[in-house]
Amino acid sequence: MQVLCKKTDGNAECHCCVCGEGFVLFWERESRTERLEAKAMLQEMLRRHHRIFKGPEAHPQGAFVVPSWTRSYSKAPGGSAPAWEL
């Protein structure tokens, strides 16, 4: 599963635990358990962004994808990718 993350000043589904920057998340259709796992990976990635910069500038300016296992893509012959990667 992959999650597209985009900074937002509005209603954020997730916040960076270091700087408080808010993100809206665009999901594939996955179970609640898989979403919780993906959120944990997202939090780890957001923390890693702060290895160099302390504030919100540590995060990518545009949208970014939180990569994960490719289990959901291996179901289709030849693999597939979410629309935002095309």
Side-chain angles (χ1 to χ4, degrees), residues 34-61:
E34 289 171 317
R35 284 182 180 223
L36 291 173
E37 290 173 9
K39 275 191 173 182
M41 283 189 276
L42 172 60
Q43 284 298 327
E44 177 60 30
M45 177 180 273
L46 293 175
R47 279 192 296 275
R48 279 189 265 133
H49 287 166
H50 287 282
R51 287 183 177 162
I52 298 172
F53 299 103
K54 303 291 183 201
E57 66 276 2
H59 304 295
Q61 294 304 306

Side-chain angles (χ1 to χ4, degrees), residues 6-15 20-25:
K6 202 170 183 183
K7 285 184 182 184
T8 184
D9 293 326
N11 293 333
E13 188 172 351
C14 184
H15 290 88
E21 184 76 40
F23 297 89
V24 64
L25 309 176

